[in-house]
Each structure stands twice: as C-alpha cells, then as structure tokens.
Amino acid sequence: MAVTLKEVAERAGVSRSAVSRSFTPGASVSARTRAKVEKAAAELGYAPNALASSLTTGRTKMIGLVVNNFRNPLMLEVFDLFTRGLQDRGLRPLLVNLTDATDPAATVRMLRQYSVDGVIVASSTLPPSFAEAFRKAGLPVVHAFGRAGGAPDVAVATIDNLACGRMAAETLLARGYRRLGFLGGPVAASSTEDRRAGFLAALEGVTGVEVAVSHASAYAFEAGRAEMERLLSGPQGRRVEAWFCGDDLLAIGAMSAIRAAGLSVPGDIGLIGLNDMEMARWPLIGLTTIRQPVADIIAAAIGLVVARIEAPDLSPEVRLFPCTVMERGTLRPVAG
C-alpha cells in the first residue's frame, strides 16, 4: 500500500499540514520541520501526490501541448525537446493530437477539464485563430512555429517565413538557376502562404527568370512525391531547373519522384528544403535546406508560457529566430 501523508506526519512528529507545506514550493515552514519531514519521507518511501497538491496550490503543473501533424518525423524531435524542457521545469505535458480535428472549441473544453495551467500550440499549419481561442478562454497560451502577428493578442515563438522564402530564392539565383519552382504545402496554411510570398517577392523584377508555383496536399513525403510526379508528367514541370520545397519532407518526396523518373538531383533538377530535420542530413539524402532552430523556438515557447502563467497580464510577445542555409548536395555550386 502507498505510504500516506498521515504516516509521514506521525514518523516526523509534526502535523499533517506541516508535511503538506514541506512539499509545497514557497510555503511557510521552518528548515528544522522540513528536514524532519524529508527524513521521515525518505525512510518510509513517501512521494507527494502531485494531483492532490494541485488542490492546495490551484495549479496542476500540466501544460497542454497541441499538435496537428503527428505523421511528420520532425515531430519526434519536437516532442522530445518539449517534454524534456517542461519536465526540467517541474511541469508535465498533456499531449493533444489534432491530426484529424479542426474545432478549437472542443480542444479548449478538453484542456479545461484537465485544468491545465497553460497551452503551447506547436504548429505552422493551424490558423492563428486556434491559439486565440485558448486566450479567449482565459488560458495562458503560446503559439510555437506560428505566424508572427497572426493573432496579435497571443505570444509567438517562430521564424520569419517571408524571410525564408526570400533566402531560398536568393540561394537559387546565386547558383545560376533561372527557371525556378515553388512547391508548397497546403494552400490554406499560413506558413505556405508566407514562404511562397517571400520567394516570389525576391524574384519579382529579376530579368530572365521563370517561376512555377505548385502545392502539395500536406507537408508529407507521399504528398511531395505525388505532386512532383504530376509536375514531371507535364512540360512546365520538366522546364524547372530547381525547386524550393516549403518543407524537408516535401523535398525528399520530390527527390524520390525525380529519381524514379530517371533524372538526377542536382544534375537535372536542384532542390532546397526547409527545416533541417534529421532525415535531411542522412548521407543518402544530403538535402540542402534552410535550417530553423527548433530547439531555440521550443525553449522560448516554454519560457513564454511559464511567464504568462506567473503573470497573466503580460503583453503579447513575438520571438523571431533567424534561419540559415545548410549546404549539402542537392544544388549545383554557386555560379562562378
């Protein structure tokens, strides 16, 4: 049977309330009493009940982590960093899978049932209104990988997707490519919209440049492969010399389709992705890509949500993180 708080109090020779205070951060208890309680607890093998403690403190130390693309291998890195980062702060993640859901109201109701202290929305494809729904429900919320300025009343930790689009265009131009393509994810995703807009803006007015634009149904390998197969079956797709794929999985799927068509990367078609997920670094793939600092974004998101739990009236804040091009083997060298 589990050791009870009463048994610890009897062993330590103190009241049950003194035991409770000894395990409550910030509670008033003397050093002598705390030492006696900790000694008795160690001897009995007692561990405080976190759920019972939440009834006293009014906080569960649970953070809702809302994600909507579990099929993307990048999410394994995201989950690992988020869960370890929260646990290092004494917090517990409550994972919510929205892969096939789009109703923020239902998610808000569920998280409120569990009395989470705060929410982190970790998605570049969920609309800003999703995070805004949590704020309106009175929950401290941060949108990681969200759109800067999309929901002005919500804190955001993210990258500048417009700048990433420009960076991709400038990288392709520097290598002498002039027939360029953009292969994005879902049209409705703000990340797709901004990456496309930045890419096209950087090419506007550049002499001798042709641009093709296409979209896959999802940020997924299968979607990237299927869309590239379709593009290569027509004359426009065959004309493109290099593609900026708005996600590494799209780029790796496109690479598979290009090679299956008997063409080479980068000999016939160049590719640049975005994210720098682990798979992009594998020797058989070696994808040139734009790296977004996932670990920095996650650390910032955790810090932002903790700050809002402690001070709910904090003004919304946007943390933008710079991206860098990771050179590998899917683009030809810089034009000399």
Side-chain angles (χ1 to χ4, degrees), residues 172-245:
L172 297 182
L173 290 174
R175 283 151 181 75
Y177 294 113
R178 287 299 179 269
R179 297 196 298 275
L180 312 180
F182 171 79
L183 175 54
V187 177
S190 63
S191 54
T192 298
E193 182 180 342
D194 289 346
R195 292 166 193 176
R196 181 185 66 236
F199 185 73
L200 296 178
L203 299 175
E204 189 175 350
V206 179
T207 304
V209 169
E210 299 176 21
V211 186
V213 174
S214 188
H215 295 91
S217 59
Y219 283 131
F221 172 89
E222 296 82 2
R225 180 183 171 99
E227 185 60 16
M228 185 54 66
E229 285 176 346
R230 187 191 70 79
L231 290 164
L232 292 176
S233 68
Q236 184 186 37
R238 287 274 181 170
R239 279 185 59 78
V240 173
E241 298 174 312
W243 291 90
F244 167 41
C245 300

Side-chain angles (χ1 to χ4, degrees), residues 64-259:
L65 179 57
V66 178
V67 182
N68 71 326
N69 191 0
F70 274 61
R71 300 185 183 96
N72 192 326
L74 181 65
M75 286 297 106
L76 295 176
E77 180 180 357
V78 170
F79 296 156
D80 178 55
L81 291 169
F82 261 124
T83 53
R84 286 194 288 117
L86 290 170
Q87 288 163 186
D88 287 347
R89 289 176 174 259
L91 302 170
R92 296 185 295 276
L94 177 64
L95 192 58
V96 179
N97 181 354
L98 292 184
T99 299
D100 298 313
T102 57
D103 180 14
T107 310
V108 168
R109 286 195 298 271
M110 183 183 70
L111 290 175
R112 294 189 76 170
Q113 287 174 350
Y114 285 95
S115 300
V116 297
D117 292 336
V119 179
I120 296 172
V121 178
S123 171
S124 66
T125 55
L126 283 173
S129 59
F130 217 99
E132 179 70 13
F134 295 108
R135 189 199 65 78
K136 289 180 178 177
L139 290 168
V141 59
V142 175
H143 195 169
F145 311 105
R147 190 180 208 175
D153 294 327
V154 173
V156 178
T158 191
I159 59 173
D160 186 339
N161 282 299
L162 286 164
C164 287
R166 291 193 295 270
M167 186 180 296
E170 291 162 359
T171 299
L172 297 182
L173 290 174
R175 283 151 181 75
Y177 294 113
R178 287 299 179 269
R179 297 196 298 275
L180 312 180
F182 171 79
L183 175 54
V187 177
S190 63
S191 54
T192 298
E193 182 180 342
D194 289 346
R195 292 166 193 176
R196 181 185 66 236
F199 185 73
L200 296 178
L203 299 175
E204 189 175 350
V206 179
T207 304
V209 169
E210 299 176 21
V211 186
V213 174
S214 188
H215 295 91
S217 59
Y219 283 131
F221 172 89
E222 296 82 2
R225 180 183 171 99
E227 185 60 16
M228 185 54 66
E229 285 176 346
R230 187 191 70 79
L231 290 164
L232 292 176
S233 68
Q236 184 186 37
R238 287 274 181 170
R239 279 185 59 78
V240 173
E241 298 174 312
W243 291 90
F244 167 41
C245 300
D247 174 86
D248 285 350
L249 273 185
L250 289 179
I252 295 169
M255 183 187 301
S256 175
I258 291 167
R259 289 174 174 168

